[in-house]
Amino acid sequence: MAQLGNYKDIESMVLFTSRYLRYLFQTDRELTCIEYELSHIQAYLDIQALRFGSIFTYECSIAESDKRALIPPLLLITFVENSLKHSCTTDRALHLMLSVSRVSKESLCFLKIDIIDSGQGFPEEILEKLARNEVINSDEQMHIGITNSIARLALLYGTNQEIHFFNEPHGGAHVQLLIPYQIKENENECINCR
């Protein structure tokens, strides 16, 4: 960017990177407001949008009433990074969609999070391993981030959570998480939401 004289992009990159790093260094709680977590993810995605240019786009949808819902910090970034790492190429456009909503299931309230990309989707052997709760690895790498995230959800919520991996009918990977819907009643109790 400096060599090309893209000073506006350099300024944006520094801003996005500082937001991203600030979140990493301030996250020391078991749970954080999803609004804050999504802000961190947006900083990461803004960096990637500058990096990849017009071939990468993203969107995020969440109801205003759900922005104070609680989520384990740094949980979603693993799946977002995975989508970009395995789907973004210089010859094919990638769109990433992150959707958050409150749902009821068996008279319980859950926070449902969908991360969908327009890439090539999960390889069939990875989907089979995920369905059998096996450690995911391939010849060239071990997918430790996904494995750790699955274990972390199980430790935090036991059987009161779900995570599903599948491919969209027209291509693209889809990760869906269901975790218990929790919210801080008092705004001051949720420091990360400010």
Side-chain angles (χ1 to χ4, degrees), residues 23 27-32 37 71-76 152:
Y23 182 79
T27 304
D28 62 352
R29 293 172 172 244
E30 187 175 301
L31 296 173
T32 190
E37 180 81 357
I71 185 171
L74 302 172
L75 175 69
L76 301 182
R152 186 175 174 206

Side-chain angles (χ1 to χ4, degrees), residues 169-193:
H170 301 292
H174 189 154
V175 178
Q176 184 177 83
L177 294 103
L178 284 163
I179 60 173
Y181 190 91
Q182 299 172 285
I183 192 164
K184 288 287 186 183
E185 295 298 327
N186 180 345
E187 188 172 329
N188 295 329
E189 290 177 2
C190 193
I191 293 168
N192 291 339
C193 272

Side-chain angles (χ1 to χ4, degrees), residues 93-127:
L94 176 70
H95 182 73
L96 185 88
M97 169 67 171
L98 182 59
S99 173
V100 181
S101 59
R102 185 180 347 181
V103 297
S104 294
K105 184 175 179 182
E106 299 171 7
S107 73
L108 297 173
C109 197
F110 289 91
L111 190 65
K112 182 177 84 143
I113 303 160
D114 292 286
I115 303 163
I116 306 165
D117 67 52
S118 64
Q120 69 274 12
F122 292 105
E124 207 53 48
E125 64 273 7
I126 297 294
L127 284 177

